[in-house]
């Protein structure tokens, strides 16, 4: 059983909601808590609560985290579609523990047991490492949707910078160089798991409230991006807690190259047997989409 904390910027791209549902619907995973990051973390927490209720589990606690970037030196991107069509309820978040405190307490009280699955910018995790440096020796692993090395088969089709790193490159740099064991689930593999509008309609066919809601969110995001496809980036990171064999990896060290400009935050990967990052380079797309369909959209 994999005990995880899911750290998410749920609400902007629709794939975080799918990832959360997959975690809740997978018996191999025990979701200890959800932490939100980047921008309006309270709205994100309410969206997470709504998706959890639809997935059949409202018991897991949600902890809002850091709003700004680590150094307060970059504007926070807010799409404006967050929560649209979800009829989110007004849970009071006043007395809830801060995400960074929750992450530190949970990892330090359970040495070697907790995996941090990060599917948003790395600000909460960086802040937790600054506050408690021993976190990096006590976390089981960080499974991170973030970055891109362009060393796999789809290299030429990939952009040089990935969103979660781009939003807070200083935080990402701190996490990569912390020495914590990391599984990097970057665009090298997540751009291989796209779905089209037709796929989205097929996924809605079961008609369950969860499938209908998630596919509406997916449609809303495709409309917002003005394209007929989208990627299941974050669900792939969660799926690797169910079946690591879905990907092939190489061990590397990762350095984040960034400067004051925007966009910035190139993840430079170098093969290194002593490195702390296992970088996913290829993925079994069909098996992953089958898993997603069977667990979330049935
Ligand atoms: O680059 C992909 C990442 O950015 C994913 O986490 C997705 O949810 C978007 O926020
Ligand atoms: Ca995300």
């Amino acid at each position: 059983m994999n005990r995880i904390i899911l750290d998410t910027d749920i609400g902007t791209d629709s794939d975080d909601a799918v990832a959360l549902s997959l975690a809740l619907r997978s018996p191999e995973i025990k979701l200890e808590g959800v932490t939100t990051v980047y921008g309006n973390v309270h709205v994100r927490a309410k969206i997470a609560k709504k998706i959890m209720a639809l997935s059949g589990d409202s018991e897991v606690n949600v902890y809002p985290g850091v709003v700004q970037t680590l150094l307060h030196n970059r504007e926070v991107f807010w799409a404006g579609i967050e929560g649209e069509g979800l009829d989110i309820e007004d849970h009071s978040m006043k007395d809830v523990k801060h995400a960074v405190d929750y992450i530190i307490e949970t990892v330090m009280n359970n040495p070697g047991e907790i995996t941090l699955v990060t599917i948003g910018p790395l600000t909460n995790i960086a802040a937790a490492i600054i506050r408690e440096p021993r976190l990096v020796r006590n976390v089981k692993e960080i499974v991170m949707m973030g970055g891109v090395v362009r060393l796999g088969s789809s290299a030429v089709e990939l952009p040089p910078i990935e969103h979660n790193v781009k939003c807070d490159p200083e935080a990402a740099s701190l996490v990569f160089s912390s020495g914590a064991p990391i599984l990097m689930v970057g665009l090298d593999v997540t751009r291989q798991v796209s779905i089209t509008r037709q796929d989205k309609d097929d996924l809605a066919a079961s008609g369950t409230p969860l499938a209908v809601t998630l596919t509406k969110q997916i449609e809303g995001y495709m409309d917002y991006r003005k394209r007929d496809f989208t990627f299941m980036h974050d669900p792939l990171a969660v799926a690797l807690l169910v079946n690591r064999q879905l990907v092939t990896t190489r061990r590397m060290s990762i350095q984040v190259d960034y400067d004051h400009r925007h966009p910035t935050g190139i993840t430079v990967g170098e093969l290194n047997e002593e490195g702390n990052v296992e970088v996913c380079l290829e993925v079994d797309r069909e098996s992953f989409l089958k898993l997603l369909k069977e667990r979330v959209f049935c």
Side-chain angles (χ1 to χ4, degrees):
M1 174 78 78
N2 288 300
R3 299 175 63 189
I4 75 166
I5 296 171
L6 189 71
D7 187 63
T8 175
D9 60 345
I10 191 166
T12 307
D13 190 336
S14 53
D15 65 335
D16 294 70
V18 181
L20 173 58
S21 299
L22 180 61
L24 288 166
R25 292 282 180 92
S26 294
E28 301 85 352
I29 293 174
K30 177 163 190 312
L31 184 61
E32 300 280 338
V34 174
T35 52
T36 60
V37 69
Y38 196 66
N40 194 331
V41 290
H42 289 92
V43 165
R44 296 199 193 284
K46 288 172 194 170
I47 295 170
K49 276 282 176 199
K50 182 76 185 189
I51 297 298
M52 283 160 52
L54 286 164
S55 302
D57 189 342
S58 318
E59 298 306 308
V60 177
N61 286 332
V62 182
Y63 304 90
V66 180
V67 173
Q68 296 286 340
T69 61
L70 192 66
L71 302 186
H72 287 219
N73 59 341
R74 300 180 190 280
E75 248 177 57
V76 169
F77 167 72
W78 190 254
I81 55 169
E82 292 82 358
E84 245 174 42
L86 275 181
D87 194 19
I88 50 177
E89 285 149 33
D90 203 14
H91 303 275
S92 168
M93 296 275 167
K94 264 194 194 140
D95 301 323
V96 175
K97 193 176 287 182
H98 193 279
V100 173
D101 294 333
Y102 171 72
I103 290 168
I104 292 170
E105 272 177 35
T106 310
V107 172
M108 297 308 286
N109 289 337
N110 299 277
E113 282 290 312
I114 305 294
T115 298
L116 300 174
V117 182
T118 69
I119 58 175
L122 279 304
T123 323
N124 280 343
I125 311 302
I129 293 172
I130 290 170
R131 176 75 183 85
E132 176 48 275
R134 293 174 300 170
L135 190 92
V136 303
R137 294 196 305 277
N138 286 277
V139 70
K140 183 176 179 191
E141 189 175 35
I142 299 174
V143 175
M144 178 201 297
M145 192 289 122
V148 54
V149 291
R150 299 202 288 177
L151 296 171
S153 62
S154 58
V156 292
E157 289 157 33
L158 298 174
I161 300 178
E162 185 279 328
H163 178 81
N164 291 337
V165 171
K166 177 178 73 182
C167 288
D168 197 348
E170 286 86 358
S173 177
L174 190 150
V175 174
F176 274 118
S177 62
S178 68
I182 296 173
L183 178 68
M184 176 179 144
V185 191
L187 298 182
D188 308 277
V189 281
T190 67
R191 282 268 187 140
Q192 295 181 44
V193 289
S194 58
I195 61 168
T196 62
R197 284 190 191 266
Q198 182 60 55
D199 294 330
K200 182 260 305 166
D201 291 344
D202 294 346
L203 291 173
S206 69
T208 66
L210 179 63
V212 170
T213 301
L214 289 176
T215 50
K216 279 198 177 136
Q217 290 291 300
I218 291 169
E219 184 175 23
Y221 188 66
M222 287 178 180
D223 292 347
Y224 168 73
R225 295 295 304 265
K226 297 188 174 50
R227 59 191 191 192
D228 293 326
F229 61 92
T230 194
F231 302 102
M232 290 292 106
H233 305 280
D234 297 341
L236 180 59
V238 171
L240 297 183
L241 274 303
V242 174
N243 179 8
R244 191 66 65 104
Q245 307 307 317
L246 290 170
V247 289
T248 53
T249 65
R250 296 296 299 270
R251 184 159 285 270
M252 299 189 198
S253 52
I254 297 285
Q255 183 185 317
V256 184
D257 277 358
Y258 61 87
D259 57 29
H260 61 283
R261 289 171 295 186
H262 182 83
T264 185
I266 297 174
T267 37
V268 182
E270 203 178 336
L271 285 183
N272 178 357
E273 283 310 313
E274 309 293 313
N276 65 320
V277 189
E278 204 64 51
V279 179
C280 299
L281 290 177
E282 306 299 337
V283 57
D284 177 352
R285 178 179 188 274
E286 297 315 316
S287 300
F288 163 66
L289 291 177
K290 184 166 176 284
L291 177 81
L292 201 57
K293 185 168 183 180
E294 286 170 356
R295 300 241 167 141
V296 177
F297 294 95
C298 279

